[in-house]
């Protein structure tokens, strides 16, 4: 899969990578890893909350009992 960015997005990525002193490729890789790890932590937290409540994540979300303040 080839990712495509707008000119504005490319500029923002290049500029932020330059400020951090890393290559654009390293910036993209590090950003992707960070997002993936954040997603895993959030998923794990949802599963732990559901486990403690004796239900499933899907049921929590359907019931609307899981809010931003809960996690």
């Amino acid at each position: 899969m080839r990712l495509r960015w707008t000119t504005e997005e490319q500029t923002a990525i290049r500029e932020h990578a330059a400020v951090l002193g890393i290559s654009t490729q390293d910036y993209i890789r590090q950003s992707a890893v960070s997002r993936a790890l954040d997603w895993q932590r959030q998923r794990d937290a949802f599963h732990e909350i559901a486990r403690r409540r004796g239900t499933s994540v899907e049921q929590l979300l359907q019931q609307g009992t899981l809010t931003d303040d809960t996690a």
Side-chain angles (χ1 to χ4, degrees):
M1 176 201 314
R2 183 106 166 113
L3 300 177
R4 299 190 191 280
W5 290 281
T6 66
T7 302
E8 289 174 345
E9 292 168 333
Q10 290 174 18
T11 300
I13 291 168
R14 256 192 324 272
E15 288 178 356
H16 196 205
V19 167
L20 296 173
I22 59 176
S23 71
T24 301
Q25 289 296 341
D26 282 345
Y27 178 85
I28 293 166
R29 183 186 58 75
Q30 289 176 16
S31 295
V33 167
S34 177
R35 299 259 333 237
L37 292 173
D38 287 346
W39 171 80
Q40 284 180 335
R41 283 189 285 274
Q42 184 179 51
R43 180 198 61 196
D44 292 348
F46 287 168
H47 284 279
E48 179 60 21
I49 291 167
R51 185 191 66 75
R52 288 181 187 172
R53 294 183 183 181
T55 190
S56 70
V57 172
E58 293 78 15
Q59 288 173 325
L60 288 175
L61 295 174
Q62 287 173 356
Q63 296 168 0
T65 57
L66 188 61
T67 64
D68 290 343
D69 295 338
T70 304

Short mmCIF file of all heavy atoms in Angstrom, two decimals:
data_model
loop_
_atom_site.label_atom_id
_atom_site.label_comp_id
_atom_site.label_asym_id
_atom_site.label_seq_id
_atom_site.Cartn_x
_atom_site.Cartn_y
_atom_site.Cartn_z
N MET A 1 0.84 -1.16 0.00
CA MET A 1 0.00 0.00 0.00
C MET A 1 0.90 1.25 0.00
O MET A 1 1.83 1.36 0.77
CB MET A 1 -0.91 0.02 1.24
CG MET A 1 -1.71 1.29 1.28
SD MET A 1 -2.42 1.86 2.84
CE MET A 1 -3.14 0.49 3.58
N ARG A 2 0.62 2.12 -0.88
CA ARG A 2 1.38 3.36 -0.97
C ARG A 2 0.54 4.49 -0.38
O ARG A 2 -0.58 4.71 -0.81
CB ARG A 2 1.68 3.66 -2.45
CG ARG A 2 2.53 4.86 -2.65
CD ARG A 2 3.93 4.44 -3.05
NE ARG A 2 4.64 5.59 -3.56
CZ ARG A 2 5.67 6.11 -2.92
NH1 ARG A 2 6.10 5.57 -1.81
NH2 ARG A 2 6.29 7.14 -3.41
N LEU A 3 1.09 5.16 0.62
CA LEU A 3 0.37 6.26 1.25
C LEU A 3 0.59 7.54 0.45
O LEU A 3 1.67 7.77 -0.08
CB LEU A 3 0.86 6.47 2.68
CG LEU A 3 0.69 5.28 3.61
CD1 LEU A 3 1.29 5.58 4.97
CD2 LEU A 3 -0.78 4.93 3.76
N ARG A 4 -0.45 8.33 0.37
CA ARG A 4 -0.35 9.60 -0.35
C ARG A 4 -0.79 10.72 0.58
O ARG A 4 -1.79 10.59 1.29
CB ARG A 4 -1.24 9.57 -1.58
CG ARG A 4 -0.85 8.48 -2.55
CD ARG A 4 -1.60 8.62 -3.87
NE ARG A 4 -1.44 7.45 -4.70
CZ ARG A 4 -0.38 7.21 -5.45
NH1 ARG A 4 0.63 8.03 -5.46
NH2 ARG A 4 -0.32 6.12 -6.19
N TRP A 5 -0.02 11.79 0.58
CA TRP A 5 -0.34 12.94 1.40
C TRP A 5 -0.55 14.16 0.53
O TRP A 5 0.02 14.28 -0.56
CB TRP A 5 0.81 13.23 2.37
CG TRP A 5 0.95 12.19 3.44
CD1 TRP A 5 0.20 12.07 4.55
CD2 TRP A 5 1.89 11.13 3.49
NE1 TRP A 5 0.62 11.00 5.30
CE2 TRP A 5 1.65 10.41 4.67
CE3 TRP A 5 2.92 10.71 2.66
CZ2 TRP A 5 2.40 9.31 5.05
CZ3 TRP A 5 3.66 9.60 3.01
CH2 TRP A 5 3.41 8.91 4.21
N THR A 6 -1.33 15.08 1.06
CA THR A 6 -1.50 16.36 0.36
C THR A 6 -0.20 17.13 0.48
O THR A 6 0.67 16.81 1.30
CB THR A 6 -2.63 17.20 0.99
OG1 THR A 6 -2.24 17.57 2.32
CG2 THR A 6 -3.95 16.43 1.01
N THR A 7 -0.07 18.18 -0.30
CA THR A 7 1.12 19.03 -0.23
C THR A 7 1.28 19.61 1.16
O THR A 7 2.39 19.65 1.71
CB THR A 7 1.02 20.15 -1.28
OG1 THR A 7 0.88 19.55 -2.57
CG2 THR A 7 2.25 21.03 -1.26
N GLU A 8 0.17 20.02 1.77
CA GLU A 8 0.22 20.59 3.13
C GLU A 8 0.69 19.55 4.14
O GLU A 8 1.49 19.84 5.03
CB GLU A 8 -1.14 21.13 3.54
CG GLU A 8 -1.54 22.38 2.80
CD GLU A 8 -2.96 22.81 3.14
OE1 GLU A 8 -3.74 22.01 3.71
OE2 GLU A 8 -3.29 23.97 2.83
N GLU A 9 0.20 18.32 4.00
CA GLU A 9 0.61 17.25 4.91
C GLU A 9 2.09 16.92 4.74
O GLU A 9 2.82 16.76 5.72
CB GLU A 9 -0.24 16.00 4.67
CG GLU A 9 -1.69 16.15 5.08
CD GLU A 9 -2.58 15.04 4.59
OE1 GLU A 9 -2.25 14.42 3.55
OE2 GLU A 9 -3.60 14.78 5.23
N GLN A 10 2.55 16.85 3.49
CA GLN A 10 3.96 16.58 3.23
C GLN A 10 4.84 17.64 3.84
O GLN A 10 5.88 17.34 4.45
CB GLN A 10 4.21 16.50 1.72
CG GLN A 10 3.61 15.29 1.05
CD GLN A 10 3.76 15.34 -0.46
OE1 GLN A 10 4.57 16.09 -1.00
NE2 GLN A 10 2.97 14.53 -1.15
N THR A 11 4.44 18.90 3.68
CA THR A 11 5.21 20.01 4.23
C THR A 11 5.27 19.91 5.74
O THR A 11 6.34 20.07 6.35
CB THR A 11 4.61 21.36 3.79
OG1 THR A 11 4.64 21.41 2.36
CG2 THR A 11 5.38 22.52 4.37
N ALA A 12 4.13 19.63 6.37
CA ALA A 12 4.08 19.53 7.83
C ALA A 12 4.97 18.40 8.33
O ALA A 12 5.71 18.56 9.31
CB ALA A 12 2.64 19.32 8.29
N ILE A 13 4.92 17.26 7.65
CA ILE A 13 5.75 16.11 8.03
C ILE A 13 7.23 16.45 7.89
O ILE A 13 8.03 16.22 8.80
CB ILE A 13 5.39 14.87 7.19
CG1 ILE A 13 4.00 14.36 7.58
CG2 ILE A 13 6.44 13.77 7.35
CD1 ILE A 13 3.42 13.32 6.63
N ARG A 14 7.60 17.00 6.75
CA ARG A 14 9.00 17.37 6.51
C ARG A 14 9.49 18.38 7.55
O ARG A 14 10.59 18.24 8.10
CB ARG A 14 9.15 17.97 5.12
CG ARG A 14 9.77 17.05 4.11
CD ARG A 14 10.19 17.73 2.82
NE ARG A 14 9.32 18.81 2.35
CZ ARG A 14 8.26 18.65 1.57
NH1 ARG A 14 7.91 17.44 1.17
NH2 ARG A 14 7.54 19.68 1.19
N GLU A 15 8.68 19.41 7.81
CA GLU A 15 9.09 20.46 8.75
C GLU A 15 9.23 19.92 10.17
O GLU A 15 10.19 20.23 10.87
CB GLU A 15 8.11 21.62 8.71
CG GLU A 15 8.22 22.45 7.44
CD GLU A 15 7.19 23.58 7.38
OE1 GLU A 15 6.34 23.68 8.29
OE2 GLU A 15 7.24 24.34 6.39
N HIS A 16 8.27 19.10 10.59
CA HIS A 16 8.35 18.57 11.95
C HIS A 16 9.53 17.61 12.09
O HIS A 16 10.24 17.62 13.10
CB HIS A 16 7.04 17.89 12.34
CG HIS A 16 6.91 17.68 13.81
ND1 HIS A 16 6.13 16.70 14.34
CD2 HIS A 16 7.48 18.30 14.87
CE1 HIS A 16 6.22 16.73 15.66
NE2 HIS A 16 7.03 17.70 16.00
N ALA A 17 9.77 16.79 11.08
CA ALA A 17 10.92 15.89 11.10
C ALA A 17 12.22 16.68 11.19
O ALA A 17 13.12 16.32 11.95
CB ALA A 17 10.93 15.00 9.85
N ALA A 18 12.29 17.78 10.44
CA ALA A 18 13.50 18.61 10.46
C ALA A 18 13.72 19.21 11.84
O ALA A 18 14.84 19.24 12.35
CB ALA A 18 13.41 19.70 9.41
N VAL A 19 12.65 19.69 12.46
CA VAL A 19 12.75 20.27 13.81
C VAL A 19 13.25 19.21 14.80
O VAL A 19 14.06 19.51 15.69
CB VAL A 19 11.39 20.84 14.27
CG1 VAL A 19 11.39 21.15 15.76
CG2 VAL A 19 11.03 22.08 13.46
N LEU A 20 12.79 17.99 14.63
CA LEU A 20 13.21 16.89 15.51
C LEU A 20 14.59 16.34 15.16
O LEU A 20 15.16 15.56 15.91
CB LEU A 20 12.18 15.76 15.46
CG LEU A 20 10.78 16.12 15.97
CD1 LEU A 20 9.81 14.97 15.71
CD2 LEU A 20 10.82 16.48 17.44
N GLY A 21 15.10 16.74 14.00
CA GLY A 21 16.43 16.30 13.58
C GLY A 21 16.47 14.86 13.10
O GLY A 21 17.48 14.17 13.26
N ILE A 22 15.36 14.39 12.51
CA ILE A 22 15.31 13.03 11.99
C ILE A 22 14.84 13.05 10.54
O ILE A 22 14.29 14.05 10.07
CB ILE A 22 14.38 12.12 12.83
CG1 ILE A 22 12.95 12.66 12.86
CG2 ILE A 22 14.93 11.96 14.25
CD1 ILE A 22 11.96 11.77 13.59
N SER A 23 15.06 11.96 9.84
CA SER A 23 14.63 11.88 8.45
C SER A 23 13.10 11.77 8.39
O SER A 23 12.45 11.38 9.37
CB SER A 23 15.25 10.66 7.77
OG SER A 23 14.66 9.47 8.25
N THR A 24 12.56 12.10 7.23
CA THR A 24 11.12 11.99 7.03
C THR A 24 10.68 10.54 7.21
O THR A 24 9.64 10.27 7.84
CB THR A 24 10.74 12.49 5.62
OG1 THR A 24 11.15 13.86 5.50
CG2 THR A 24 9.26 12.42 5.38
N GLN A 25 11.45 9.59 6.69
CA GLN A 25 11.11 8.17 6.84
C GLN A 25 11.08 7.75 8.31
O GLN A 25 10.18 7.04 8.74
CB GLN A 25 12.08 7.30 6.05
CG GLN A 25 11.91 7.39 4.56
CD GLN A 25 10.55 6.88 4.10
OE1 GLN A 25 9.85 6.15 4.79
NE2 GLN A 25 10.15 7.28 2.91
N ASP A 26 12.08 8.19 9.08
CA ASP A 26 12.11 7.87 10.51
C ASP A 26 10.92 8.51 11.23
O ASP A 26 10.32 7.90 12.11
CB ASP A 26 13.41 8.32 11.16
CG ASP A 26 14.56 7.38 10.87
OD1 ASP A 26 14.31 6.24 10.42
OD2 ASP A 26 15.72 7.79 11.09
N TYR A 27 10.58 9.73 10.85
CA TYR A 27 9.44 10.42 11.45
C TYR A 27 8.15 9.64 11.21
O TYR A 27 7.37 9.41 12.13
CB TYR A 27 9.32 11.83 10.87
CG TYR A 27 8.15 12.61 11.41
CD1 TYR A 27 8.25 13.31 12.60
CD2 TYR A 27 6.94 12.63 10.73
CE1 TYR A 27 7.17 14.02 13.11
CE2 TYR A 27 5.85 13.33 11.23
CZ TYR A 27 5.97 14.03 12.41
OH TYR A 27 4.90 14.72 12.91
N ILE A 28 7.96 9.21 9.97
CA ILE A 28 6.75 8.46 9.62
C ILE A 28 6.71 7.13 10.37
O ILE A 28 5.69 6.75 10.94
CB ILE A 28 6.66 8.25 8.09
CG1 ILE A 28 6.45 9.59 7.41
CG2 ILE A 28 5.56 7.25 7.73
CD1 ILE A 28 6.67 9.57 5.91
N ARG A 29 7.86 6.44 10.42
CA ARG A 29 7.92 5.16 11.13
C ARG A 29 7.63 5.34 12.61
O ARG A 29 6.81 4.63 13.19
CB ARG A 29 9.31 4.52 10.96
CG ARG A 29 9.43 3.14 11.60
CD ARG A 29 10.85 2.60 11.53
NE ARG A 29 11.83 3.48 12.17
CZ ARG A 29 11.98 3.60 13.50
NH1 ARG A 29 11.23 2.92 14.32
NH2 ARG A 29 12.89 4.41 14.00
N GLN A 30 8.27 6.34 13.23
CA GLN A 30 8.07 6.58 14.66
C GLN A 30 6.63 6.99 14.95
O GLN A 30 6.04 6.57 15.96
CB GLN A 30 9.04 7.64 15.16
CG GLN A 30 10.47 7.15 15.22
CD GLN A 30 11.43 8.25 15.63
OE1 GLN A 30 11.05 9.28 16.15
NE2 GLN A 30 12.72 8.02 15.39
N SER A 31 6.05 7.79 14.08
CA SER A 31 4.65 8.20 14.26
C SER A 31 3.71 7.01 14.16
O SER A 31 2.78 6.87 14.95
CB SER A 31 4.26 9.26 13.22
OG SER A 31 5.00 10.43 13.41
N ALA A 32 3.96 6.13 13.19
CA ALA A 32 3.12 4.95 13.02
C ALA A 32 3.23 4.03 14.24
O ALA A 32 2.22 3.52 14.73
CB ALA A 32 3.51 4.21 11.74
N VAL A 33 4.45 3.82 14.71
CA VAL A 33 4.65 2.98 15.88
C VAL A 33 3.94 3.57 17.10
O VAL A 33 3.26 2.86 17.85
CB VAL A 33 6.16 2.77 16.17
CG1 VAL A 33 6.39 2.16 17.53
CG2 VAL A 33 6.79 1.92 15.08
N SER A 34 4.07 4.87 17.28
CA SER A 34 3.42 5.53 18.41
C SER A 34 1.91 5.36 18.37
O SER A 34 1.27 5.04 19.37
CB SER A 34 3.79 7.02 18.41
OG SER A 34 3.13 7.69 19.46
N ARG A 35 1.32 5.56 17.19
CA ARG A 35 -0.13 5.40 17.04
C ARG A 35 -0.56 3.97 17.31
O ARG A 35 -1.56 3.71 17.96
CB ARG A 35 -0.59 5.81 15.65
CG ARG A 35 -0.32 7.24 15.29
CD ARG A 35 -1.47 8.20 15.38
NE ARG A 35 -2.79 7.70 15.22
CZ ARG A 35 -3.66 8.11 14.32
NH1 ARG A 35 -3.31 9.02 13.45
NH2 ARG A 35 -4.88 7.63 14.30
N ALA A 36 0.21 3.01 16.80
CA ALA A 36 -0.13 1.60 16.99
C ALA A 36 -0.04 1.21 18.47
O ALA A 36 -0.92 0.51 18.99
CB ALA A 36 0.80 0.71 16.16
N LEU A 37 0.99 1.68 19.16
CA LEU A 37 1.12 1.37 20.59
C LEU A 37 0.02 2.04 21.40
O LEU A 37 -0.52 1.44 22.34
CB LEU A 37 2.50 1.79 21.09
CG LEU A 37 3.67 0.97 20.54
CD1 LEU A 37 5.00 1.58 20.99
CD2 LEU A 37 3.57 -0.49 20.96
N ASP A 38 -0.34 3.27 21.05
CA ASP A 38 -1.46 3.95 21.72
C ASP A 38 -2.75 3.16 21.54
O ASP A 38 -3.52 2.98 22.48
CB ASP A 38 -1.64 5.37 21.20
CG ASP A 38 -0.57 6.34 21.67
OD1 ASP A 38 0.18 6.00 22.60
OD2 ASP A 38 -0.50 7.43 21.08
N TRP A 39 -2.98 2.68 20.32
CA TRP A 39 -4.18 1.89 20.04
C TRP A 39 -4.19 0.61 20.87
O TRP A 39 -5.22 0.25 21.45
CB TRP A 39 -4.23 1.57 18.54
CG TRP A 39 -5.32 0.59 18.22
CD1 TRP A 39 -6.65 0.85 18.07
CD2 TRP A 39 -5.17 -0.82 18.04
NE1 TRP A 39 -7.33 -0.31 17.80
CE2 TRP A 39 -6.45 -1.36 17.77
CE3 TRP A 39 -4.08 -1.67 18.06
CZ2 TRP A 39 -6.65 -2.70 17.54
CZ3 TRP A 39 -4.29 -3.02 17.82
CH2 TRP A 39 -5.57 -3.52 17.57
N GLN A 40 -3.04 -0.06 20.97
CA GLN A 40 -2.97 -1.29 21.75
C GLN A 40 -3.25 -1.02 23.23
O GLN A 40 -3.97 -1.77 23.87
CB GLN A 40 -1.59 -1.95 21.61
CG GLN A 40 -1.40 -2.66 20.30
CD GLN A 40 -0.03 -3.30 20.21
OE1 GLN A 40 0.93 -2.88 20.86
NE2 GLN A 40 0.08 -4.32 19.37
N ARG A 41 -2.67 0.06 23.77
CA ARG A 41 -2.91 0.40 25.17
C ARG A 41 -4.38 0.70 25.42
O ARG A 41 -4.96 0.26 26.42
CB ARG A 41 -2.03 1.58 25.60
CG ARG A 41 -0.58 1.20 25.86
CD ARG A 41 0.20 2.33 26.47
NE ARG A 41 0.53 3.37 25.52
CZ ARG A 41 1.59 3.39 24.73
NH1 ARG A 41 2.46 2.41 24.79
NH2 ARG A 41 1.80 4.38 23.91
N GLN A 42 -5.00 1.44 24.51
CA GLN A 42 -6.42 1.76 24.65
C GLN A 42 -7.27 0.49 24.57
O GLN A 42 -8.17 0.28 25.37
CB GLN A 42 -6.84 2.76 23.58
CG GLN A 42 -8.27 3.23 23.72
CD GLN A 42 -8.64 4.22 22.66
OE1 GLN A 42 -8.43 3.98 21.47
NE2 GLN A 42 -9.18 5.35 23.07
N ARG A 43 -6.97 -0.36 23.60
CA ARG A 43 -7.70 -1.62 23.45
C ARG A 43 -7.56 -2.46 24.72
O ARG A 43 -8.55 -2.98 25.25
CB ARG A 43 -7.15 -2.39 22.25
CG ARG A 43 -7.85 -3.73 22.02
CD ARG A 43 -7.05 -4.65 21.14
NE ARG A 43 -5.76 -4.92 21.79
CZ ARG A 43 -4.71 -5.43 21.18
NH1 ARG A 43 -4.77 -5.72 19.90
NH2 ARG A 43 -3.59 -5.65 21.82
N ASP A 44 -6.34 -2.56 25.24
CA ASP A 44 -6.10 -3.34 26.46
C ASP A 44 -6.86 -2.75 27.65
O ASP A 44 -7.41 -3.49 28.47
CB ASP A 44 -4.61 -3.44 26.76
CG ASP A 44 -3.84 -4.27 25.74
OD1 ASP A 44 -4.49 -4.97 24.92
OD2 ASP A 44 -2.59 -4.19 25.75
N ALA A 45 -6.89 -1.43 27.73
CA ALA A 45 -7.61 -0.76 28.83
C ALA A 45 -9.11 -1.04 28.72
O ALA A 45 -9.77 -1.34 29.73
CB ALA A 45 -7.35 0.74 28.82
N PHE A 46 -9.67 -0.98 27.52
CA PHE A 46 -11.09 -1.28 27.33
C PHE A 46 -11.40 -2.72 27.75
O PHE A 46 -12.39 -2.98 28.42
CB PHE A 46 -11.51 -1.08 25.87
CG PHE A 46 -11.61 0.35 25.45
CD1 PHE A 46 -11.73 0.67 24.11
CD2 PHE A 46 -11.58 1.40 26.36
CE1 PHE A 46 -11.84 1.99 23.69
CE2 PHE A 46 -11.67 2.72 25.96
CZ PHE A 46 -11.80 3.02 24.62
N HIS A 47 -10.53 -3.65 27.36
CA HIS A 47 -10.74 -5.05 27.73
C HIS A 47 -10.66 -5.24 29.24
O HIS A 47 -11.44 -6.02 29.81
CB HIS A 47 -9.74 -5.96 27.01
CG HIS A 47 -10.10 -6.19 25.58
ND1 HIS A 47 -11.04 -7.10 25.17
CD2 HIS A 47 -9.65 -5.59 24.44
CE1 HIS A 47 -11.16 -7.06 23.86
NE2 HIS A 47 -10.33 -6.15 23.39
N GLU A 48 -9.75 -4.54 29.90
CA GLU A 48 -9.63 -4.64 31.35
C GLU A 48 -10.88 -4.07 32.04
O GLU A 48 -11.38 -4.66 33.00
CB GLU A 48 -8.37 -3.94 31.83
CG GLU A 48 -8.16 -3.98 33.33
CD GLU A 48 -8.06 -5.38 33.91
OE1 GLU A 48 -7.76 -6.33 33.17
OE2 GLU A 48 -8.30 -5.53 35.13
N ILE A 49 -11.36 -2.94 31.56
CA ILE A 49 -12.59 -2.36 32.13
C ILE A 49 -13.75 -3.32 31.95
O ILE A 49 -14.53 -3.56 32.89
CB ILE A 49 -12.90 -0.99 31.48
CG1 ILE A 49 -11.84 0.04 31.90
CG2 ILE A 49 -14.30 -0.52 31.85
CD1 ILE A 49 -11.88 1.32 31.07
N ALA A 50 -13.87 -3.89 30.77
CA ALA A 50 -14.95 -4.83 30.50
C ALA A 50 -14.82 -6.07 31.40
O ALA A 50 -15.81 -6.55 31.96
CB ALA A 50 -14.94 -5.24 29.03
N ARG A 51 -13.60 -6.56 31.54
CA ARG A 51 -13.38 -7.74 32.40
C ARG A 51 -13.82 -7.45 33.82
O ARG A 51 -14.52 -8.24 34.45
CB ARG A 51 -11.91 -8.15 32.37
CG ARG A 51 -11.62 -9.45 33.13
CD ARG A 51 -10.13 -9.69 33.31
NE ARG A 51 -9.50 -8.70 34.17
CZ ARG A 51 -9.61 -8.65 35.51
NH1 ARG A 51 -10.36 -9.53 36.16
NH2 ARG A 51 -8.99 -7.72 36.21
N ARG A 52 -13.43 -6.29 34.34
CA ARG A 52 -13.79 -5.92 35.72
C ARG A 52 -15.29 -5.79 35.89
O ARG A 52 -15.82 -6.05 36.97
CB ARG A 52 -13.13 -4.59 36.10
CG ARG A 52 -11.65 -4.70 36.32
CD ARG A 52 -11.07 -3.38 36.71
NE ARG A 52 -9.63 -3.43 36.78
CZ ARG A 52 -8.87 -2.38 36.96
NH1 ARG A 52 -9.40 -1.17 37.09
NH2 ARG A 52 -7.56 -2.51 37.01
N ARG A 53 -15.98 -5.37 34.84
CA ARG A 53 -17.44 -5.19 34.91
C ARG A 53 -18.19 -6.46 34.51
O ARG A 53 -19.42 -6.48 34.53
CB ARG A 53 -17.87 -4.04 34.01
CG ARG A 53 -17.35 -2.70 34.50
CD ARG A 53 -17.84 -1.57 33.65
NE ARG A 53 -17.28 -0.30 34.09
CZ ARG A 53 -17.56 0.85 33.52
NH1 ARG A 53 -18.41 0.92 32.52
NH2 ARG A 53 -17.00 1.95 33.97
N GLY A 54 -17.45 -7.48 34.12
CA GLY A 54 -18.08 -8.74 33.74
C GLY A 54 -18.86 -8.66 32.44
O GLY A 54 -19.89 -9.31 32.29
N THR A 55 -18.36 -7.90 31.49
CA THR A 55 -19.03 -7.73 30.21
C THR A 55 -17.99 -7.69 29.09
O THR A 55 -16.82 -7.91 29.33
CB THR A 55 -19.92 -6.46 30.24
OG1 THR A 55 -20.74 -6.43 29.07
CG2 THR A 55 -19.10 -5.19 30.33
N SER A 56 -18.43 -7.39 27.90
CA SER A 56 -17.50 -7.28 26.77
C SER A 56 -17.33 -5.81 26.38
O SER A 56 -18.16 -4.96 26.72
CB SER A 56 -18.03 -8.06 25.56
OG SER A 56 -19.17 -7.41 25.02
N VAL A 57 -16.26 -5.53 25.67
CA VAL A 57 -16.03 -4.17 25.18
C VAL A 57 -17.19 -3.74 24.29
O VAL A 57 -17.69 -2.63 24.40
CB VAL A 57 -14.69 -4.07 24.42
CG1 VAL A 57 -14.54 -2.72 23.74
CG2 VAL A 57 -13.52 -4.33 25.35
N GLU A 58 -17.64 -4.66 23.44
CA GLU A 58 -18.75 -4.34 22.54
C GLU A 58 -20.00 -3.94 23.31
O GLU A 58 -20.69 -3.00 22.95
CB GLU A 58 -19.04 -5.53 21.61
CG GLU A 58 -17.94 -5.82 20.62
CD GLU A 58 -16.74 -6.57 21.23
OE1 GLU A 58 -16.84 -7.12 22.35
OE2 GLU A 58 -15.68 -6.57 20.58
N GLN A 59 -20.28 -4.67 24.40
CA GLN A 59 -21.45 -4.34 25.21
C GLN A 59 -21.28 -2.98 25.89
O GLN A 59 -22.24 -2.22 25.98
CB GLN A 59 -21.70 -5.42 26.24
CG GLN A 59 -22.22 -6.71 25.63
CD GLN A 59 -22.29 -7.83 26.65
OE1 GLN A 59 -21.46 -7.93 27.54
NE2 GLN A 59 -23.29 -8.68 26.49
N LEU A 60 -20.07 -2.69 26.35
CA LEU A 60 -19.83 -1.38 26.96
C LEU A 60 -20.10 -0.26 25.97
O LEU A 60 -20.74 0.73 26.29
CB LEU A 60 -18.38 -1.26 27.46
CG LEU A 60 -18.00 -2.05 28.69
CD1 LEU A 60 -16.50 -1.91 28.95
CD2 LEU A 60 -18.79 -1.60 29.90
N LEU A 61 -19.60 -0.43 24.76
CA LEU A 61 -19.77 0.60 23.74
C LEU A 61 -21.23 0.72 23.32
O LEU A 61 -21.73 1.82 23.11
CB LEU A 61 -18.87 0.31 22.54
CG LEU A 61 -17.37 0.37 22.83
CD1 LEU A 61 -16.58 -0.07 21.61
CD2 LEU A 61 -16.95 1.76 23.27
N GLN A 62 -21.92 -0.41 23.19
CA GLN A 62 -23.33 -0.38 22.81
C GLN A 62 -24.18 0.28 23.88
O GLN A 62 -25.10 1.02 23.58
CB GLN A 62 -23.85 -1.80 22.55
CG GLN A 62 -23.35 -2.40 21.28
CD GLN A 62 -23.75 -3.86 21.12
OE1 GLN A 62 -24.35 -4.44 22.00
NE2 GLN A 62 -23.39 -4.45 20.00
N GLN A 63 -23.86 0.02 25.13
CA GLN A 63 -24.61 0.58 26.24
C GLN A 63 -24.27 2.04 26.48
O GLN A 63 -24.98 2.74 27.17
CB GLN A 63 -24.33 -0.20 27.53
CG GLN A 63 -24.77 -1.63 27.48
CD GLN A 63 -24.22 -2.44 28.65
OE1 GLN A 63 -23.51 -1.91 29.50
NE2 GLN A 63 -24.52 -3.72 28.69
N GLY A 64 -23.14 2.47 25.92
CA GLY A 64 -22.71 3.85 26.14
C GLY A 64 -22.18 4.09 27.54
O GLY A 64 -22.15 5.20 28.02
N THR A 65 -21.75 3.00 28.21
CA THR A 65 -21.26 3.15 29.57
C THR A 65 -19.79 3.50 29.63
O THR A 65 -19.28 3.83 30.68
CB THR A 65 -21.49 1.86 30.39
OG1 THR A 65 -20.85 0.78 29.72
CG2 THR A 65 -22.97 1.57 30.55
N LEU A 66 -19.12 3.42 28.52
CA LEU A 66 -17.70 3.74 28.48
C LEU A 66 -17.54 5.13 27.88
O LEU A 66 -17.92 5.39 26.75
CB LEU A 66 -16.94 2.71 27.62
CG LEU A 66 -15.44 2.80 27.64
CD1 LEU A 66 -14.92 2.58 29.06
CD2 LEU A 66 -14.84 1.76 26.72
N THR A 67 -17.03 6.04 28.68
CA THR A 67 -16.84 7.42 28.21
C THR A 67 -15.37 7.75 28.23
O THR A 67 -14.56 7.01 28.77
CB THR A 67 -17.60 8.41 29.13
OG1 THR A 67 -17.01 8.35 30.44
CG2 THR A 67 -19.08 8.09 29.22
N ASP A 68 -15.02 8.89 27.66
CA ASP A 68 -13.63 9.33 27.64
C ASP A 68 -13.06 9.45 29.05
O ASP A 68 -11.90 9.21 29.27
CB ASP A 68 -13.49 10.67 26.92
CG ASP A 68 -13.72 10.54 25.43
OD1 ASP A 68 -13.67 9.41 24.91
OD2 ASP A 68 -13.96 11.57 24.78
N ASP A 69 -13.90 9.82 30.01
CA ASP A 69 -13.44 9.99 31.38
C ASP A 69 -13.16 8.66 32.06
O ASP A 69 -12.40 8.59 33.01
CB ASP A 69 -14.47 10.76 32.20
CG ASP A 69 -14.64 12.19 31.70
OD1 ASP A 69 -13.71 12.70 31.05
OD2 ASP A 69 -15.69 12.78 31.94
N THR A 70 -13.79 7.57 31.56
CA THR A 70 -13.64 6.27 32.19
C THR A 70 -12.28 5.68 31.90
O THR A 70 -11.65 5.12 32.78
CB THR A 70 -14.72 5.29 31.68
OG1 THR A 70 -16.00 5.88 31.92
CG2 THR A 70 -14.65 3.96 32.41
N ALA A 71 -11.83 5.79 30.67
CA ALA A 71 -10.56 5.20 30.30
C ALA A 71 -9.48 6.13 30.73
O ALA A 71 -8.39 5.89 30.94
CB ALA A 71 -10.49 4.96 28.80
#
